[in-house]
Amino acid sequence: MAADAEQRQHGWKSVNDGNPPDLFYNDSESRKYTTSSRIQNVQSEMTHRALELLQLDSPSLILDIGCGSGLSGEILSAVNPADGGPHTWVGMDISASMLDIALQREVEGDLLLSDIGQGIPFRPGSFDAAISISAIQWLCNAESSETNPQGRLSRFFTGLYASLRRGGRSVCQFYPKNEAQRTMISNAAIKAGFGAGILEDDPGTKNAKSYLALTVGGGEVQGDITSVVKDMHDVDVQDSRRGASFAGTKGERKGSKAWVKQKKAQMERRGKVVKASSK
């Protein structure tokens, strides 16, 4: 998806219009999505990028969130043994039409018709990792007065956190409508217990893509995805877990002079005006 055109093809315009994905992705839209060579190429690019961030070095059980017709799942199944694959996957999606096409295509993963805004219905610690391509922004769509984005995000991330094993990882590529929505999504993940980092590829361009990288505490330090992304350019890292030593900076204690200095430098790089440091 290249920004506007890509977001419209992936249903992003319908999020702004207030239509839920299970209605937007009817039989016709699901077929167009799956057969578009452009979408296939972009989906492949983003799935490989997510796998790169997950850094899985052995065959794993992966939850594909918003799996659609199985385009990403096919890539998971085809990962070369030399690259840590192939992976086994379970896909969940709210669109019956998308899942029907996945069945027709005879994808290898197991499929579940489910609304991720109602939670993740699997036993605790079921999965080694999770992946999501262009799906979680739908959670910001309030479909009625009985639902709200904060509640849907909370149920999703709480359920996802529980479904991953200790040390498990998740990477969710998404298209935030604005900075407020981006912050709402990342804060919901942190509140659920995740260490969280947001990586943006091609920032400031029409091809910009955001990746929310998440980790569940309990893994080895070198396997922590927040450590993987925290030194990358244009990455914000927040970690609310007990004993975490960084929050958007490089390991300095929050509130210390070094932390404040780094935080100001970070804001200046973003073009924001900051108060001069006292001597």
Side-chain angles (χ1 to χ4, degrees):
M1 298 188 299
D4 293 342
E6 291 175 5
Q7 292 168 18
R8 284 196 299 271
Q9 286 177 323
H10 280 233
W12 179 237
K13 182 177 183 295
S14 73
V15 175
N16 291 334
D17 293 341
N19 296 322
D22 52 330
L23 296 181
F24 177 82
Y25 285 116
N26 55 27
D27 290 348
S28 175
E29 288 295 330
S30 296
R31 280 194 297 272
K32 286 194 293 185
Y33 184 101
T34 305
T35 57
S36 167
S37 59
R38 174 180 173 76
I39 288 180
Q40 290 176 14
N41 290 337
V42 175
Q43 184 98 5
S44 175
E45 173 192 333
M46 294 188 294
T47 302
H48 281 101
R49 179 60 158 150
L51 280 170
E52 177 187 2
L53 292 172
L54 284 175
Q55 293 191 336
L56 301 172
D57 57 7
S58 61
S60 301
L61 178 59
I62 301 176
L63 176 62
D64 185 356
I65 302 157
C67 65
S69 56
L71 295 179
S72 293
E74 286 184 324
I75 293 172
L76 301 179
S77 298
V79 173
N80 194 288
D83 297 321
H87 302 298
T88 303
W89 59 279
V90 175
M92 57 187 300
D93 201 283
I94 195 174
S95 170
S97 295
M98 278 288 199
L99 294 179
D100 183 56
I101 291 178
L103 288 172
Q104 293 176 30
R105 297 175 66 239
E106 299 183 344
V107 299
E108 294 186 21
D110 293 325
L111 304 173
L112 172 68
L113 178 65
S114 182
D115 177 8
I116 62 174
Q118 298 303 315
I120 305 295
F122 295 99
R123 292 179 181 175
S126 294
F127 298 97
D128 300 308
I131 191 173
S132 181
I133 304 299
S134 306
I136 63 172
Q137 68 264 4
W138 289 100
L139 293 169
C140 298
N141 185 29
E143 299 162 16
S144 70
S145 59
E146 285 77 32
T147 62
N148 64 81
Q150 290 82 3
R152 291 174 63 77
L153 286 165
S154 176
R155 287 188 291 271
F156 167 66
F157 283 116
T158 299
L160 178 60
Y161 185 92
S163 73
L164 293 170
R165 64 170 176 79
R166 300 291 287 176
R169 303 170 176 181
S170 176
V171 173
C172 303
Q173 181 278 326
F174 70 113
Y175 289 105
K177 180 180 178 181
N178 49 42
E179 185 63 28
Q181 193 173 91
R182 167 184 162 126
T183 300
M184 179 171 64
I185 290 173
S186 61
N187 284 349
I190 292 166
K191 187 174 181 180
F194 283 108
I198 292 183
L199 169 65
E200 187 172 19
D201 284 348
D202 302 316
T205 73
K206 67 178 183 178
N207 296 316
K209 299 177 181 67
S210 296
Y211 294 83
L212 178 64
L214 305 171
T215 185
V216 177
E220 296 297 326
V221 173
Q222 63 266 27
D224 191 332
I225 203 164
T226 52
S227 297
V228 172
V229 302
K230 75 173 183 177
D231 291 324
M232 290 183 177
H233 182 60
D234 291 313
V235 180
D236 295 327
V237 177
Q238 293 175 290
D239 194 337
S240 64
R241 295 167 300 172
R242 185 176 301 171
S245 61
F246 60 89
T249 58
K250 296 184 179 180
E252 300 295 346
R253 181 175 58 84
K254 186 173 182 179
S256 67
K257 287 185 177 180
W259 184 89
V260 171
K261 184 177 180 180
Q262 289 186 12
K263 196 69 175 177
K264 285 184 176 181
Q266 184 183 72
M267 293 174 69
E268 287 175 343
R269 287 196 298 270
R270 295 178 181 174
K272 297 181 179 180
V273 178
V274 298
K275 184 179 178 180
S277 300
S278 59
K279 294 183 180 179

